Amino acid sequence: MQKTILLAILMFTSSIGSNAQTGNLVLIEQFTETGCGACAQNDSAFNALINANTDKVAVISYHCYYTLDPFYAYNKAGYDRYAFYQMKDGFPSAMVNGKKPNTNSAHLSYVKEPVINAAYNQPPQFKFNISCTSTGKGNIHSASINVIATALKANPSQNLRLFVVITENNINYEQRYHSKSTNSINEFNHIMRAMLPDTGNVIGEQTEGKINKVKVIFTNDDKEINFKEVRIIVFVQDYETREIIGTAVTNDHPFH
């Protein structure tokens, strides 16, 4: 069962451990499932591409549909995200900054280095500061996560929303679940564990220099998630056009 406690309010309280980034990172949203044979065929090439571009990309891996997939069973919001994009491309598929990597297809095989570079070289629209305060006691790993997103240019859209996503890396499937996955992939990264909240925090129209402040609270489910492998991804998306115009990711977990 998912054990996530969240609070989304437009407030900021100072804390230690700031992580400031200019938001021209490229967000790749991967849609997959452990029952997908084609996903296994594309897994190595995609991982090699991501590992070669770690300074340019952030990745969220959503697991959809397959009832025997423990990542889907834990959090079905990946299905909601797939529906949000109105995708019909099957698996594995991906969106790059909220757009298909190919004009006619979202298939994962179209995510290539030129696509990443083209998105990365766009002028950044936000600067992010992510700071975390550990709030748990004893064996409880919880944290207050504070985000400041400063607009670097004006944007008239009223549909901008800021999302805070919790991911988990370095999952050894056999060690954790004591069996092989259906498609025999064993190493999983960037698994979406929580989206705080699912529909994002509305920040609306931006003027240059506008400061947007969001606070969320996350409590880790230590029975299912290795707290040391938790990472935070923050992104701003136009909820109407689907375009993602700023992304940041933390290098460490928030439970210090």
Side-chain angles (χ1 to χ4, degrees), residues 1 49-50 77 89 93 98 103-104 106 113 123 126 130-131 161 172 185 192 201 211:
M1 295 292 294
L49 176 68
I50 298 307
D89 300 88
S93 54
T103 304
N104 298 314
E113 194 146 359
F126 286 90
I130 306 170
S131 58
R161 301 188 186 192
N172 184 304
I185 296 177
M192 191 279 295
N201 304 275
I211 297 175

Side-chain angles (χ1 to χ4, degrees), residues 66-251:
Y66 186 51
T67 57
L68 297 181
D69 187 329
F71 307 126
Y72 169 71
Y74 186 80
N75 191 325
K76 296 180 173 61
Y79 169 84
D80 297 333
R81 195 72 175 161
Y82 192 84
F84 167 74
Y85 282 122
Q86 301 175 349
M87 298 176 72
K88 300 179 181 178
D89 300 88
F91 308 117
S93 54
M95 300 295 277
V96 179
N97 278 353
K99 298 179 179 180
K100 292 184 177 182
N102 177 279
T103 304
N104 298 314
S105 176
H107 195 278
L108 187 68
S109 62
Y110 288 105
V111 180
K112 303 288 188 182
E113 194 146 359
V115 174
I116 292 173
N117 288 337
Y120 180 77
N121 290 328
Q122 297 299 311
Q125 295 194 41
F126 286 90
K127 181 178 180 180
F128 295 97
N129 183 287
I130 306 170
S131 58
C132 304
T133 302
S134 182
T135 58
K137 296 181 179 180
N139 294 326
I140 297 176
H141 295 100
S142 61
S144 175
I145 302 166
N146 301 277
V147 180
I148 297 179
T150 304
L152 300 179
K153 62 180 294 186
N155 190 314
S157 175
Q158 298 288 336
N159 302 300
L160 299 185
R161 301 188 186 192
L162 187 149
F163 291 82
V164 179
V165 176
I166 304 298
T167 65
E168 183 185 7
N169 291 325
N170 295 315
I171 300 171
N172 184 304
Y173 192 96
E174 288 191 59
Q175 287 183 1
R176 179 166 298 183
Y177 300 111
H178 309 293
S179 65
K180 291 186 177 181
S181 68
T182 304
N183 62 6
S184 297
I185 296 177
N186 192 52
E187 300 295 332
F188 290 89
N189 287 289
H190 318 296
I191 299 298
M192 191 279 295
R193 290 306 198 175
M195 185 174 284
L196 311 176
D198 290 351
T199 54
N201 304 275
V202 177
I203 60 174
E205 180 180 359
Q206 300 293 298
T207 56
E208 184 176 352
K210 180 181 177 182
I211 297 175
N212 306 277
K213 302 176 182 180
V214 168
K215 176 182 177 179
V216 299
I217 295 172
F218 177 71
T219 298
N220 195 64
D221 182 352
D222 288 340
K223 292 182 179 180
E224 178 66 22
I225 303 170
N226 180 357
F227 76 91
K228 295 180 180 179
E229 296 295 344
V230 165
R231 298 296 180 268
I232 303 165
I233 294 178
V234 172
F235 64 91
V236 174
Q237 183 168 39
D238 188 312
Y239 213 64
E240 182 173 328
T241 68
R242 311 302 201 259
E243 182 182 9
I244 291 170
I245 57 175
T247 301
V249 60
T250 60
N251 295 319

